């Protein structure tokens, strides 16, 4: 006879095994029914009767399961995530952001993530989410995304396939053509940008997708190990004391004898960086690379020319 | 259960009572640690079970949960000999592929929503982290969240002050003069170069000011009355910007006066000359100050000093 400490209920194991199979939201009928078939090949009908007993048990307990085309779907699980009103709003914001993903595979993965949370929401939380959901206009319906959806999807494919591109775009009434490797799609202030590595200047920059005029795929693929140019600049006076490093910057933290702090900047869009460093006025001097230092000098000279 | 029994849709023969009781004990442990007595009492008082079980029976249920994959520990007698559910097979676990997609979407989302919404999301996700089994989710979230280094309670209070346009006194760690009190009429909180700033009107300096949020230690006082009649001198500047109008993101204090070809004439009203100069300089050669002359001269002076930095 087994000791009490070794005894357990078979029914408990069965119901847990069944829920484990369903824990990702769905399970195949044949996997579920196998749990209730014995080694001596219990007749299918008998296994189905036992399965129905367990389905009823779960239903009475409050866990809803339904079946479509030989797949069981778990509608809710053990309630454990309780949301207040603000949490529900936050969840809806997260949910409505799905369309920032232009790759359908990634959308599918994100859906799974959301489903795994939703399955664990308490009934009251789920009701609150459903109520709030309608308040949030899905970004999918934004005019901008609808207009540029195709080109964004095309850019996403280029990034995913590591394509090398001849990219043409128009900016400030000038036409540009660059050989580049697309890196990723980013969204800023509701607009989509293609971040690319320019093989000639060895810099990363963002092109607004609405400015792209053509994308030609080159016969080779991008190696993906391009090393971009690093910009080194120094900042002084009050700026050196209050400056917060960006996540793509490094610094030894020690000012020189004149109070200048040297910053090493990796991968920032040159145009964006130039605008930012111009803001710092005479508290900032670009040290290298030579071409960026010259761009900075040209920008200062050209601005001065405005006042001649 | 009640409705099923009443409507006779389910009979005792058509369900597994053992499985049902196991699920009840599991959900009891999900709520809080329970002792044998708690479980026995719960079953005895349950509307439909209404059954007195023995300690041995309760122990078999606990054993069963352990075999099914639950990690259950028992506290000592001084702490009530309660069973504590440490982990179970249905905990939320975010696989690596979902982590990657979540990181991507959150990075994008955080750049496209208001600070209020971001704070709401931050609090929700911090709560969610506690429900997620794998610590990688929390690690990634903390790494990518623009609010991870901020005190969310302080941020929430400051946002409330901004909504009410409160005049407040804060303890501020100034990079120049160290920790000191500062008085400001709150206007808004926003990101600038990935850092949060509190924008408002400084009572001490009598001009519009922005304080880096990470340097605000605490709110010392929310004033009941505002200094309504502070005389803050304002600069009205006119400047042209030569850029695509669609690319031009105007600030709150700016308005377009006219557009000729690609030249946009902008009027900006500000009491903070430093911020105004920074804004003008950021446009580079695309911008030219028309008036006032003093500001125009100061910009020229700054540009000459900048140029001098490259002649060494």
């Amino acid at each position: 006879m087994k000791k009490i400490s070794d005894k357990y209920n078979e029914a408990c194991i069965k119901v847990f095994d069944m829920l484990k199979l369903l824990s990702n939201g769905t399970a195949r009928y044949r996997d579920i029914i196998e749990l209730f078939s014995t080694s001596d090949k219990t007749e299918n009908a008998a296994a189905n009767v036992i399965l129905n007993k367990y389905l009823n048990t779960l239903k009475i307990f409050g866990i809803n399961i339904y079946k479509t085309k030989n797949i069981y779907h778990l509608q809710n699980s053990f309630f454990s995530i309780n949301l207040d009103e603000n949490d529900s709003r936050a969840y809806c914001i997260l949910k409505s952001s799905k369309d920032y993903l232009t790759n359908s595979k990634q959308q599918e993965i994100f859906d799974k993530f959301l489903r795994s949370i939703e399955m664990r929401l308490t009934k009251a939380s789920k009701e609150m989410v459903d109520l709030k959901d309608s308040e949030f206009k899905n970004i999918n319906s934004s005019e901008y995304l609808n207009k540029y959806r195709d080109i964004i999807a095309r850019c996403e494919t280029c990034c995913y396939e590591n394509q090398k591109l001849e990219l043409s775009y128009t900016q400030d009434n000038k036409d540009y053509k660059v050989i580049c490797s697309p890196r990723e799609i980013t969204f800023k202030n509701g607009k989509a940008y293609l971040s690319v590595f320019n093989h000639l200047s060895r810099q990363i920059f963002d092109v607004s997708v609405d400015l792209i005029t053509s994308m030609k795929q080159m016969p080779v693929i991008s190696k993906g190990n391009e090393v971009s140019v690093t910009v080194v600049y120094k900042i002084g006076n009050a700026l050196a004391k209050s400056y917060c490093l960006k996540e793509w910057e490094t610094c030894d933290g020690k000012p020189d004898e004149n109070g200048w702090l040297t910053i090493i900047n990796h991968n920032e869009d040159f145009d964006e960086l130039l605008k930012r460093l111009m803001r710092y006025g005479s508290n900032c001097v670009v040290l290298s690379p030579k071409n960026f230092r010259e761009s900075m000098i040209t920008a200062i000279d050209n601005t001065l020319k405005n006042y001649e | 259960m009640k409705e099923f029994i009443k409507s006779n849709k389910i009979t005792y023969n058509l369900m597994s009572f053992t499985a049902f009781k196991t699920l009840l004990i599991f959900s009891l442990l999900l709520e809080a640690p329970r002792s044998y007595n708690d479980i026995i009492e719960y079953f005895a008082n349950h509307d439909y079970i209404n059954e007195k079980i023995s300690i041995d029976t309760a122990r078999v249920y606990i054993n069963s949960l352990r075999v099914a994959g639950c990690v259950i520990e028992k506290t000592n007698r001084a702490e009530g000999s309660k069973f504590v559910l440490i982990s179970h097979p249905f905990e939320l676990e975010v696989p690596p592929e979902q982590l990657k997609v979540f990181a991507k979407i959150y990075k994008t989302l955080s750049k496209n929503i208001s600070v209020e919404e971001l704070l709401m999301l931050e609090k929700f996700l911090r709560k969610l982290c506690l429900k997620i089994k794998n610590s990688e989710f929390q690690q990634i979230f903390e790494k990518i969240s623009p609010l991870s280094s901020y005190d969310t309670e302080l941020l929430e209070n400051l946002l409330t002050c901004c909504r009410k346009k409160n005049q407040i006194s804060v303890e501020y760690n100034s990079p120049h003069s160290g920790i000191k009190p500062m008085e400001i009429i709150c206007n808004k909180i926003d990101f600038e170069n990935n850092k949060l700033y509190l924008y408002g009107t400084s009572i001490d300096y009598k001009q519009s000011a922005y304080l880096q949020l990470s340097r605000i230690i605490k709110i010392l006082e929310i004033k009941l009355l505002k200094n309504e009649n502070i005389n803050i001198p304002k600069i009205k500047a006119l400047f042209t910007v030569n850029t695509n109008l669609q690319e031009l993101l105007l600030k709150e204090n700016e308005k377009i006066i006219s557009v000729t070809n690609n030249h946009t004439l902008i009027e900006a009203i500000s009491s903070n000359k430093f911020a105004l100069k920074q804004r003008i300089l950021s446009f580079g050669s695309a911008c030219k100050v028309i008036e006032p002359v003093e500001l125009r001269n100061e910009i020229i002076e700054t540009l000459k000093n900048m140029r001098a930095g490259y002649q060494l």
Side-chain angles (χ1 to χ4, degrees):
Chain A
M1 196 175 157
K2 272 186 178 176
K3 282 197 291 183
I4 195 81
S5 58
D6 295 333
K7 279 189 178 175
Y8 61 89
N9 292 318
E10 200 56 46
C12 165
I13 312 301
K14 285 258 187 286
V15 79
F16 266 62
D17 283 347
M18 188 172 162
L19 284 169
K20 278 185 221 169
L21 277 177
L22 282 158
S23 63
N24 287 329
T26 54
R28 290 181 303 184
Y29 166 75
R30 68 167 183 228
D31 294 333
I32 297 269
I33 199 72
E34 204 170 290
L35 290 174
F36 304 99
S37 308
T38 54
S39 53
D40 60 349
K41 301 283 175 207
T42 306
E43 278 182 36
N44 209 21
N48 272 313
V49 170
I50 306 170
L51 167 62
N52 277 333
K53 272 181 87 165
Y54 281 87
L55 285 171
N56 286 338
T57 307
L58 290 168
K59 195 173 181 182
I60 294 166
F61 185 74
I63 295 175
N64 297 321
I65 296 165
Y66 67 95
K67 188 176 150 199
T68 51
K69 291 179 185 168
N70 285 328
I71 302 278
Y72 281 106
H73 301 260
L74 181 68
Q75 279 188 297
N76 58 334
S77 185
F78 293 99
F79 303 142
S80 62
I81 303 178
N82 196 22
L83 308 182
D84 61 24
E85 207 178 329
N86 282 341
D87 293 334
S88 313
R89 281 174 64 87
Y91 178 73
C92 291
I93 293 172
L94 192 64
K95 207 171 159 186
S96 70
S97 66
K98 189 180 108 179
D99 278 288
Y100 282 129
L101 297 168
T102 44
N103 177 312
S104 57
K105 173 91 180 122
Q106 289 182 337
Q107 284 193 353
E108 217 174 276
I109 294 169
F110 189 61
D111 270 341
K112 271 189 193 167
F113 170 69
L114 293 176
R115 206 162 48 237
S116 65
I117 297 173
E118 232 160 272
M119 256 169 36
R120 289 165 173 85
L121 296 182
T122 60
K123 200 178 169 202
S125 305
K126 208 174 258 184
E127 282 169 5
M128 208 166 353
V129 164
D130 288 342
L131 201 72
K132 293 260 174 275
D133 223 6
S134 56
E135 290 174 21
F136 283 86
K137 196 179 158 198
N138 200 312
I139 60 153
N140 187 23
S141 56
S142 89
E143 208 178 297
Y144 175 84
L145 273 180
N146 280 335
K147 193 171 172 188
Y148 296 107
R149 183 168 302 282
D150 289 346
I151 191 160
I152 294 170
R154 166 96 170 84
C155 291
E156 189 79 47
T157 309
C158 295
C159 298
Y160 185 71
E161 292 175 355
N162 288 331
Q163 292 180 11
K164 202 169 185 178
L165 297 176
E166 185 189 88
L167 182 77
S168 304
Y169 62 97
T170 308
Q171 196 163 14
D172 295 331
N173 295 326
K174 283 182 203 154
D175 293 329
Y176 296 89
K177 195 177 270 185
V178 290
I179 305 294
C180 62
S181 300
R183 295 256 174 137
E184 59 173 343
I185 299 277
T186 55
F187 287 85
K188 280 180 267 180
N189 300 311
K191 286 182 79 175
Y193 293 82
L194 176 63
S195 181
V196 297
F197 176 81
N198 182 339
H199 286 268
L200 191 67
S201 64
R202 307 207 68 73
Q203 51 173 283
I204 291 170
F205 65 99
D206 294 342
V207 183
S208 178
V209 294
D210 52 326
L211 302 179
I212 295 174
T213 50
S214 86
M215 285 192 283
K216 278 187 202 156
Q217 188 181 349
M218 308 293 282
V220 286
I221 63 158
S222 169
K223 285 176 192 158
N225 56 353
E226 298 95 352
V227 179
S228 61
V229 176
T230 295
V231 174
V232 181
Y233 61 92
K234 59 176 186 175
I235 52 173
N237 300 320
L239 183 63
K241 286 183 191 166
S242 60
Y243 190 77
C244 286
L245 285 180
K246 312 280 174 267
E247 60 181 281
W248 51 88
E249 289 181 331
T250 52
C251 163
D252 66 4
K254 292 173 197 153
D256 66 13
E257 64 274 17
N258 298 316
W260 290 91
L261 201 60
T262 304
I263 313 279
I264 301 160
N265 182 294
H266 313 269
N267 287 354
E268 190 167 346
D269 180 321
F270 271 20
D271 289 339
E272 292 296 319
L273 180 61
L274 196 119
K275 279 182 197 170
R276 183 160 73 84
L277 300 189
M278 280 292 284
R279 282 181 51 187
Y280 300 156
S282 54
N283 288 328
C284 174
V285 177
V286 175
L287 302 174
S288 68
K290 200 177 167 198
N291 65 339
F292 189 70
R293 186 178 155 94
E294 277 164 6
S295 300
M296 190 74 181
I297 295 171
T298 308
I300 300 167
D301 287 345
N302 288 343
T303 317
L304 272 169
K305 272 184 202 158
N306 286 343
Y307 299 97
E308 283 172 359
Chain B
M1 184 172 182
K2 192 176 177 180
E3 74 181 90
F4 287 104
I5 289 174
K6 271 192 175 173
S7 61
N8 293 326
K9 279 183 187 165
I10 301 284
T11 70
Y12 285 7
N13 294 334
L14 284 176
M15 66 178 283
S16 163
F17 255 69
T18 309
F20 185 75
K21 283 186 235 173
T22 312
L23 293 172
L24 282 181
I25 295 181
F26 179 67
S27 63
L28 271 180
L29 292 180
L30 269 178
E31 286 168 12
R34 310 283 178 172
S35 64
Y36 279 133
N37 282 342
D38 293 336
I39 296 168
I40 292 165
E41 202 182 320
Y42 180 77
F43 277 20
N45 294 326
H46 193 281
D47 279 356
Y48 308 110
I49 293 179
N50 199 12
E51 174 186 307
K52 183 150 176 55
I53 60 165
S54 66
I55 286 186
D56 282 350
T57 308
R59 185 186 288 179
V60 172
Y61 279 115
I62 298 287
N63 288 346
S64 306
L65 287 174
R66 284 184 173 134
V67 176
C70 299
V71 176
I72 300 169
E73 284 178 5
K74 194 178 175 188
T75 61
N76 57 33
R77 196 173 289 178
E79 288 168 334
S81 301
K82 294 192 175 200
F83 292 99
V84 186
L85 186 63
I86 305 293
S87 68
H88 59 81
F90 311 113
E91 281 174 292
L92 182 54
E93 197 162 358
V94 184
E97 57 170 18
Q98 288 183 19
L99 281 176
K100 211 171 151 188
V101 171
F102 164 77
K104 183 177 176 174
I105 213 158
Y106 192 64
K107 268 187 190 173
T108 304
L109 190 57
S110 58
K111 285 179 192 149
N112 290 279
I113 55 175
S114 68
V115 179
E116 284 86 350
E117 287 175 323
L118 191 60
L119 177 64
M120 217 185 271
L121 208 50
E122 175 83 15
K123 288 167 86 175
F124 163 66
L125 289 168
R126 280 188 192 182
K127 209 187 260 185
L128 191 66
C129 282
L130 302 175
K131 301 276 182 187
I132 292 175
K133 195 179 174 185
N134 46 335
S135 58
E136 293 90 345
F137 183 85
Q138 186 161 1
Q139 285 161 10
I140 287 180
F141 170 60
E142 280 173 6
K143 197 175 161 197
I144 61 170
S145 166
L147 297 183
S148 63
S149 60
Y150 291 98
D151 174 349
T152 50
E153 205 183 321
L154 176 66
L155 175 58
E156 192 166 21
N157 291 337
L158 287 170
L159 280 167
T160 308
C161 292
C162 288
R163 264 195 305 276
K164 295 179 179 171
K165 304 288 174 214
N166 283 137
Q167 182 174 323
I168 61 169
S169 168
V170 294
E171 194 169 81
Y172 187 71
N173 184 10
S174 162
H176 315 294
S177 40
I179 296 173
K180 62 178 186 182
M182 283 192 81
E183 219 168 308
I184 188 166
I185 299 175
C186 303
N187 182 22
K188 64 165 186 172
I189 292 175
D190 218 341
F191 279 100
E192 183 77 41
N193 281 324
N194 301 317
K195 283 175 281 178
L196 271 182
Y197 287 90
L198 167 65
Y199 293 81
T201 306
S202 164
I203 303 296
D204 307 282
Y205 299 106
K206 298 207 172 4
Q207 64 170 351
S208 62
Y210 45 97
L211 306 179
Q212 218 182 100
L213 216 83
S214 58
R215 293 189 170 275
I216 299 176
I217 300 162
K218 61 181 175 188
I219 299 174
L220 295 170
E221 189 188 355
I222 299 173
K223 306 272 177 183
L224 291 173
L225 293 169
K226 265 194 278 190
N227 289 12
E228 296 288 1
N229 47 8
I230 322 164
N231 187 17
I232 299 171
K234 288 194 172 165
I235 307 164
K236 187 161 100 178
L238 272 180
F239 55 88
T240 57
V241 180
N242 182 16
T243 190
N244 188 339
L245 197 58
Q246 286 176 324
E247 296 290 302
L248 196 61
L249 291 172
L250 289 185
K251 298 267 181 194
E252 273 177 10
N253 61 336
E254 294 171 351
K255 66 173 180 190
I256 294 173
I257 303 294
S258 66
V259 183
T260 323
N261 295 327
N262 256 349
H263 281 79
T264 310
L265 182 64
I266 296 170
E267 181 190 274
I269 296 175
S270 173
S271 65
N272 191 320
K273 197 193 272 182
F274 178 73
L276 187 59
K277 278 171 67 180
Q278 278 207 330
R279 170 75 171 157
I280 288 164
L281 286 168
S282 72
F283 289 116
S285 60
C287 178
K288 182 182 175 180
V289 177
I290 309 295
E291 59 182 56
V293 178
E294 299 77 36
L295 179 69
R296 187 183 154 102
N297 289 340
E298 277 186 43
I299 291 285
I300 295 171
E301 195 55 36
T302 305
L303 287 164
K304 282 180 179 169
N305 289 337
M306 285 168 80
R307 190 64 180 84
Y310 291 90
Q311 279 163 348
L312 298 171

